[in-house]
Amino acid sequence: MTDMSVVAIQFIGLTISFVQLGIAAAQGFCYYRAFPHDIRMLKCLVVTVMILNVTGTLLASFMYWSFFVNCYRSTSPSCQAWDTAAMILLFVSFTLPFMVQSFYCHRVWIISGKNIYVAIPIILFAVSSYVLGLILIPPQEAGAFSNNAILKISAAGAFQSVLCDSTISLSVYFYLRPARAGVHRTDTRIQNITNKFTTMGFLVCLLAISIFILYWANGFAAIGGVAMVLRSSYANSLLSTLNARKLPSRPQPMDIELPTISVHNSR
């Protein structure tokens, strides 16, 4: 893969992540306008996810700007090593998906009737993927995928993330499918497909699968671009799921009919 193709992939991923950042900001604004009475923990989750998404996008922008200015076509050791901003970006890239996957795990646990046999595999996949990601952060200081051990751990973490997202998507689809719920959907096919890709996690599942395929195909240069899109997709998936809920209905005014009292004048 040539240097120009690597630059193009990274630039496309960064551009899409900026577009998704704007969409996430709009969704966050709509969420706080539509659901001001949600529990505090859920509001804190939304704020944290949005802060991590903004931080990751800004760090990625700074990281690639610094690379193009100082290290483009350079093979010096200082350019091959990852700086503090890149290490924080890795932490954000592993933490944000873990938080969203934990939210979906709680959602699956509720819609499945608190079935622990469905929730436990999701918890194990999410925790193992997050732990493997945190293990990867310190060795990356010497350079991305500097040895085979780091590469194997990265591929294992990506595979665990694929298993987690696949289990979440299939579980949500199984428990919310119209045939099971007994609800006749009135939305169009396009709306139905969009709903499945955003609120059921199919989009992040496909992106996670693509990252694992890139590990398997040694397409390491493209992983960064897809990872930026994946991080923002997790944030938008969470916000779209929360905004897809039915708006709380306002109390209807009560019509009170006052009895009439007839008064007869007696002389």
Side-chain angles (χ1 to χ4, degrees):
M1 186 175 290
T2 63
D3 291 338
M4 290 306 298
S5 61
V6 172
V7 171
I9 293 173
Q10 304 290 352
F11 179 75
I12 292 173
L14 185 61
T15 303
I16 296 176
S17 67
F18 266 107
V19 174
Q20 290 183 316
L21 180 62
I23 297 174
Q27 288 201 90
F29 177 77
C30 293
Y31 166 75
Y32 280 101
R33 285 287 302 272
F35 303 97
H37 301 295
D38 274 355
I39 59 176
R40 182 170 299 179
M41 183 178 295
L42 191 57
K43 291 181 179 179
C44 292
L45 174 64
V46 172
V47 171
T48 305
V49 168
M50 293 184 66
I51 291 175
L52 289 176
N53 190 27
V54 173
T55 303
T57 305
L58 295 179
L59 284 175
S61 304
F62 169 77
M63 179 179 170
Y64 288 113
W65 175 82
S66 177
F67 170 77
F68 291 136
V69 172
N70 302 319
C71 297
Y72 185 62
R73 296 182 182 275
S74 175
T75 58
S76 64
S78 60
C79 290
Q80 298 298 320
W82 286 38
D83 56 6
T84 305
M87 309 296 279
I88 298 175
L89 178 61
L90 282 176
F91 175 78
V92 171
S93 299
F94 292 127
T95 302
L96 194 152
F98 174 71
M99 295 181 66
V100 177
Q101 288 170 347
S102 301
F103 165 78
Y104 273 115
C105 178
H106 182 261
R107 185 188 182 202
V108 170
W109 182 65
I110 291 176
I111 64 178
S112 64
K114 300 183 178 180
N115 189 344
I116 60 173
Y117 298 105
V118 178
I120 286 179
I122 299 175
I123 296 174
L124 294 177
F125 292 145
V127 172
S128 60
S129 176
Y130 186 55
V131 170
L132 290 174
L134 294 181
I135 292 174
L136 285 174
I137 294 179
Q140 297 287 1
E141 188 175 1
F145 313 118
S146 56
N147 55 59
N148 291 330
I150 294 178
L151 178 59
K152 291 180 180 179
I153 296 176
S154 301
F159 183 67
Q160 294 293 328
S161 182
V162 168
L163 292 178
C164 181
D165 293 329
S166 301
T167 306
I168 290 172
S169 300
L170 294 176
S171 299
V172 174
Y173 177 76
F174 175 78
Y175 286 105
L176 295 184
R177 70 188 191 278
R180 178 183 176 87
V183 178
H184 177 68
R185 292 189 178 276
T186 59
D187 52 358
T188 63
R189 186 173 296 275
I190 298 298
Q191 292 173 335
N192 190 18
I193 294 175
T194 304
N195 178 65
K196 286 183 172 59
F197 267 80
T198 54
T199 62
M200 294 187 179
F202 281 106
L203 178 60
V204 294
C205 180
L206 291 177
L207 290 172
I209 292 174
S210 66
I211 288 182
F212 177 72
I213 293 175
L214 289 173
Y215 275 114
W216 179 72
N218 295 329
F220 307 125
I223 291 177
V226 181
M228 286 187 286
V229 179
L230 178 61
R231 183 192 63 246
S232 299
S233 298
Y234 272 112
N236 279 293
S237 178
L238 169 67
L239 292 170
S240 62
T241 301
L242 294 176
N243 287 329
R245 295 174 296 169
K246 187 177 180 180
L247 293 175
S249 58
R250 296 180 179 179
Q252 299 294 330
M254 299 178 62
D255 295 332
I256 302 176
E257 183 177 355
L258 296 176
T260 59
I261 301 176
S262 59
V263 179
H264 298 283
N265 293 329
S266 59
R267 294 183 179 179

